[in-house]
Amino acid sequence: MTNEINFDEIDLSQGAPAQEPQRQYYFMKKAQILLAEKEAELGRKLQACIKTFGCQMNARDSEKLRGILELIGYELTESEEADFVLYNTCTVRENANLKVYGRLGYLNGLKKKNPHMLISLCGCMMQEPEVIEKLKKSYRFVDLVFGTHNIYKFAELLTTAMESDRTVFDIWKDTDKIVEDLPAERTYTFKSGVNIMFGCNNFCSYCIVPYVRGRERSRRPEDILKEIRTLVADGVKEIMLLGQNVNSYGKNLEEPITFAQLLTEVEKIDGLERIRFMTSHPKDLSEDLIQVMKHSKKICRHLHLPLQSGSTEILRRMNRRYTKEQYLALAERLRSEIPDLSLTTDIIVGFPGETEEDFQETLDVVRKVRYDSAFTFIYSKRTGTPAAAMENQIPEDVVKDRFNRLLTLVQDISREQSLRVQGQTLPVLVESVNEQDSSLVTGRLSNNLLVHFPGDASLIGEIVPVYLKECMGFYYYGERAEA
Ligand code: SAH
Ligand code: SF4
Ligand code: F3S
């Protein structure tokens, strides 16, 4: 996408255009010049580093931010000892939040050694007014702060920060805008996330995401398909369609389309081999989607279906809008229609008012559904959400005890479930050379299990058949098989 921008045609002696993304291209060129001046002054290249916290949405946003940094002329680095450091933050649980404050102190130390350093913060945490107040008061060494809604304006904001000696803050409350055709620097050559929608309208009572990501907006299917075609032409074999609730995709478009219909269109793209998506809200998962998945050759055998709690009463107070029985029926239906499907989930322990009986209901669902794996979270109180104001917050020791019991059960079942494919030969998309043992490569099955097998870097990005020899609990050791 980046090569579509013709910087020679941009005239900086004119004012910046009002239209997007042209306006951002203008500021990219301006930033290129400012950066080149700085390079000349310092006699070296300037380096930039982005650290990402949180979910796949943030990971994808960071790829877009990196794309812009690279285009401006920064060398990208993993090290925070850089000239521009950006933290893309998460605030879904309090510990995500605390991590950022902790690291900011460290960055301030680095900035004292390198006065040219620019420190920037963006992402979900920046949408919280208390965070901004705290930054203004106690973290004045930060140079640029922006939120989730104006990320597309990064080039413009960075230019402003480069020219200003005060902290630049730009936070929007919400937006109905989607800006297409901005560059992105992919972390992997062979797989990529693709946003299909932004924001969330569900307001689960514990969750801060709708407040920091705004209302649900779907991208137009033609824009999504165009992006995927471009990615595939550039070597991408696997895409992950991203949204907080992909099952409600398309409902608010001028020409409504369902998620199942979108998948059918994506499936037709030649050269694309694997389709994943995240996340599915159980209340909106349609029979159409089950059928499309069942008959698809490309949609991976993996569905992430967050349960949150197995107690109908807790689910009601979480505003999840399904009951234990409805969830179980859905899981049963999925297991019977697509037997090789891997089902994974998210579970919260210690929601306000959760009794031991409620918790037993959660364990019961885990035993019945037999999740292939599950993320378990301790409930974290998020200021501004309805649950934060609920009575009966659960004492820490009770929550910890429940959490440990849940984790043991989830892991025992997960180990047994992983054994389901032992002895089979299945296609693996190779992702990397194994970090511990360089004679091995690591890849993923369609069902998302990791497999290590002998091979070298030339296999990265290839899909190869692998004999699944030895199950190690949550991953496999395998051997390459004949195609
Ligand atoms: N949109 C996705 C989830 C996004 S947040 C969905 O609806 O499934 C990812 C996970 O974080 C959630 O599924 C939930 O399990 C967990 N989570 C969200 N808010 C939380 C909180 N306040 N405390 C603990 N876990 C939380
Ligand atoms: Fe949060 Fe619920 Fe929206 Fe998921 S669906 S992002 S848990 S409010
Ligand atoms: Fe965190 Fe924001 Fe994702 S709060 S989980 S990074 S949407």
Side-chain angles (χ1 to χ4, degrees), residues 197-467:
M197 60 207 297
F198 302 93
C200 180
N201 284 353
N202 287 312
F203 291 95
C204 302
S205 64
Y206 50 82
C207 182
I208 200 156
V209 170
Y211 303 88
V212 297
R213 287 274 175 177
R215 293 296 62 71
E216 189 178 291
R217 285 147 285 146
S218 294
R219 281 177 79 192
R220 297 184 313 162
E222 53 271 33
D223 291 329
I224 296 168
L225 294 168
K226 184 177 132 202
E227 180 178 352
I228 300 172
R229 282 191 205 102
T230 311
L231 288 166
V232 169
D234 199 31
V236 165
K237 293 196 173 141
E238 177 179 300
I239 52 146
M240 164 89 86
L241 303 174
L242 298 170
Q244 293 299 349
N245 177 11
V246 292
N247 295 330
S248 72
Y249 169 78
K251 286 187 182 157
N252 53 10
L253 285 170
E254 259 169 44
E255 291 171 46
I257 158 173
T258 66
F259 181 53
Q261 287 167 330
L262 177 73
L263 280 172
T264 309
E265 292 307 310
V266 174
E267 173 108 15
K268 291 179 192 154
I269 296 177
D270 275 339
L272 179 66
E273 312 246 10
R274 283 182 169 186
I275 305 167
R276 298 185 186 276
F277 53 85
M278 182 150 245
T279 300
S280 269
H281 196 305
K283 79 175 164 62
D284 297 313
L285 197 146
S286 67
E287 181 62 27
D288 280 356
L289 177 65
I290 299 176
Q291 292 311 316
V292 167
M293 284 186 84
K294 178 176 173 172
H295 298 289
S296 167
K297 301 236 170 348
K298 297 183 178 174
I299 302 175
C300 288
R301 277 5 205 173
H302 175 211
L303 185 71
H304 189 65
L305 194 65
L307 167 69
Q308 314 301 4
S309 169
S311 150
T312 295
E313 172 55 18
I314 295 290
L315 287 169
R316 188 184 65 75
R317 286 198 279 125
M318 285 179 160
N319 194 28
R320 290 290 289 179
R321 286 174 278 174
Y322 51 84
T323 63
K324 176 188 183 189
E325 288 67 32
Q326 284 166 334
Y327 186 98
L328 282 174
L330 181 60
E332 174 97 352
R333 175 102 196 106
L334 285 159
R335 290 264 193 236
S336 71
E337 283 294 291
I338 316 170
D340 56 348
L341 185 72
S342 160
L343 265 178
T344 63
T345 202
D346 292 345
I347 300 170
I348 298 175
V349 181
F351 184 81
E354 183 190 72
T355 62
E356 177 61 27
E357 289 70 41
D358 291 320
F359 177 65
Q360 288 298 332
E361 302 274 10
T362 299
L363 295 181
D364 186 46
V365 175
V366 171
R367 278 188 209 104
K368 289 194 167 119
V369 176
R370 299 186 55 78
Y371 292 106
D372 293 81
S373 90
F375 294 109
T376 49
F377 303 108
I378 287 183
Y379 167 73
S380 173
K381 192 170 168 174
R382 307 315 289 131
T383 311
T385 62
M390 286 179 190
E391 286 172 8
N392 282 324
Q393 303 280 331
I394 310 295
E396 206 180 304
D397 55 332
V398 177
V399 181
K400 286 237 163 92
D401 172 64
R402 285 182 196 161
F403 181 84
N404 291 337
R405 283 187 282 153
L406 174 65
L407 193 65
T408 309
L409 179 65
V410 155
Q411 290 185 341
D412 287 349
I413 293 176
S414 176
R415 257 183 232 106
E416 290 167 19
Q417 287 293 100
S418 300
L419 278 168
R420 288 200 292 166
V421 286
Q422 171 120 16
Q424 294 186 26
T425 295
L426 292 173
V428 170
L429 171 58
V430 181
E431 299 200 340
S432 59
V433 172
N434 188 295
E435 274 174 27
Q436 272 87 44
D437 180 347
S438 62
S439 72
L440 301 177
V441 289
T442 299
R444 268 175 214 280
L445 297 174
S446 168
N447 74 8
N448 216 30
L449 270 179
L450 279 180
V451 183
H452 309 291
F453 66 96
D456 60 39
S458 67
L459 287 175
I460 293 175
E462 299 293 317
I463 296 178
V464 293
V466 175
Y467 170 66

Side-chain angles (χ1 to χ4, degrees), residues 100-257:
V100 170
Y101 288 121
R103 293 194 75 86
L104 273 178
Y106 164 70
L107 284 192
N108 192 23
L110 293 178
K111 188 167 178 169
K112 289 195 174 120
K113 286 190 267 171
N114 174 10
H116 301 284
M117 184 173 176
L118 290 178
I119 298 175
S120 177
L121 297 167
C122 70
C124 296
M125 216 176 130
M126 302 306 126
Q127 293 296 136
E128 293 181 280
E130 313 87 83
V131 171
I132 298 303
E133 255 164 57
K134 192 163 169 172
L135 291 173
K136 283 188 174 158
K137 220 166 112 203
S138 320
Y139 296 84
R140 303 181 65 141
F141 55 88
V142 175
D143 300 281
L144 168 63
V145 179
F146 56 103
T148 55
H149 303 304
N150 52 352
I151 205 160
Y152 73 88
K153 266 185 71 185
F154 178 50
E156 181 171 353
L157 293 167
L158 181 59
T159 315
T160 314
M162 282 169 154
E163 290 181 314
S164 162
D165 40 4
R166 299 176 54 190
T167 312
V168 176
F169 286 94
D170 192 15
I171 316 285
W172 301 358
K173 268 192 135 63
D174 203 347
T175 184
D176 51 9
K177 210 168 171 155
I178 297 177
V179 177
E180 299 287 347
D181 294 328
L182 287 168
E185 174 65 23
R186 291 202 313 277
T187 313
Y188 302 94
T189 52
F190 51 88
K191 68 169 181 179
S192 179
V194 173
N195 300 105
I196 63 167
M197 60 207 297
F198 302 93
C200 180
N201 284 353
N202 287 312
F203 291 95
C204 302
S205 64
Y206 50 82
C207 182
I208 200 156
V209 170
Y211 303 88
V212 297
R213 287 274 175 177
R215 293 296 62 71
E216 189 178 291
R217 285 147 285 146
S218 294
R219 281 177 79 192
R220 297 184 313 162
E222 53 271 33
D223 291 329
I224 296 168
L225 294 168
K226 184 177 132 202
E227 180 178 352
I228 300 172
R229 282 191 205 102
T230 311
L231 288 166
V232 169
D234 199 31
V236 165
K237 293 196 173 141
E238 177 179 300
I239 52 146
M240 164 89 86
L241 303 174
L242 298 170
Q244 293 299 349
N245 177 11
V246 292
N247 295 330
S248 72
Y249 169 78
K251 286 187 182 157
N252 53 10
L253 285 170
E254 259 169 44
E255 291 171 46
I257 158 173

